[in-house]
Amino acid sequence: MPLSIVYNHVAALLGRCEVADVRAVSGEPAYEDTAVIPSEPWQPLSTDTARALRPGTTAQDGTLMEVVRPPGPANMPLENLAARLGDPDAVYLGQASSKPNCLTTTDNYMDGRRIGLHLDDWDKLSYTAKHTGRRRLCLNLGPGARYLVVCELDAQTLCRAVHPCDFSNRYPHTDDLRRYVADGQSLRCLRIRLDPGDGYIAPTEYLPHNGSTQGQSEPSTAAFWLGHWPRNSLPSLI
């Protein structure tokens, strides 16, 4: 299933989103070779595209993207906030601090090079189960704004495309995305603005993604949880 975003007002979605093609990296020291990153320029999201992103009523909640306003931690430690977030069994993953003006934010801890758009693999799911993974909740703690960058195609679609003969026995991986783009296949990504206090719930096991602070003058820190949230568990910002 391609990218689906839960929203109530198309104007609110258009005000937060832009779209761009992606490209494969080659010979750029800051990135792993073959990493997939947005290819500028960013363009406004069209109304037709926005309407196509709205999920149908039969879409599985675990495959949906939401832009939300999580409850503030107040004086509560972030690791104890899960009970207020709609899933008491959610797992707190910790925080990640991002420097300003980074096209993508996640790096390979072994060598410091950025990995670009990627799939998470917390749940170690095979092709047939990849759409059932937990979604990730992110809360932007600020002080700067940040973006979620997310691809339009999902892990199962990419896996089928690059392994047409044996995809059902595979475990979809970031390498499938990289091969798809290296083979010259067309792919776009969206970036969705998150101001301090804003958040998202996204199937990061299922949709290639990354954070971004491009164009921002301040760093930002994000807190993350993994859990199973039904659609509309938290107040929507769009």
Side-chain angles (χ1 to χ4, degrees), residues 108-186:
N108 184 330
Y109 71 91
M110 297 182 67
D111 60 16
R113 292 187 299 168
R114 296 197 177 98
I115 66 174
L117 296 164
H118 63 278
L119 292 168
D120 289 346
D121 197 28
W122 296 97
D123 291 337
K124 313 292 184 195
L125 296 171
S126 67
Y127 170 87
T128 55
K130 194 65 174 175
H131 64 289
T132 68
R134 291 173 290 178
R135 290 195 292 170
R136 189 169 74 183
L137 170 63
C138 168
L139 170 61
N140 181 14
L141 302 173
R146 63 191 293 122
Y147 300 95
L148 172 66
V149 181
V150 61
C151 289
E152 288 187 322
L153 294 182
D154 62 86
Q156 289 170 319
T157 299
L158 295 167
C159 187
R160 285 197 307 272
V162 299
H163 304 291
C165 297
D166 63 346
F167 60 86
S168 63
N169 298 317
R170 296 276 179 169
Y171 284 77
H173 190 273
T174 300
D175 288 345
D176 296 335
L177 167 67
R178 293 181 177 185
R179 180 172 166 183
Y180 183 90
V181 175
D183 286 349
Q185 301 278 7
S186 176

Side-chain angles (χ1 to χ4, degrees), residues 192-217:
I192 303 169
R193 191 186 76 255
L194 303 167
D195 295 320
D198 294 351
Y200 66 75
I201 304 175
T204 57
E205 305 263 321
Y206 191 62
L207 294 173
H209 66 283
N210 210 319
S212 175
T213 57
Q214 186 181 23
Q216 303 304 309
S217 60

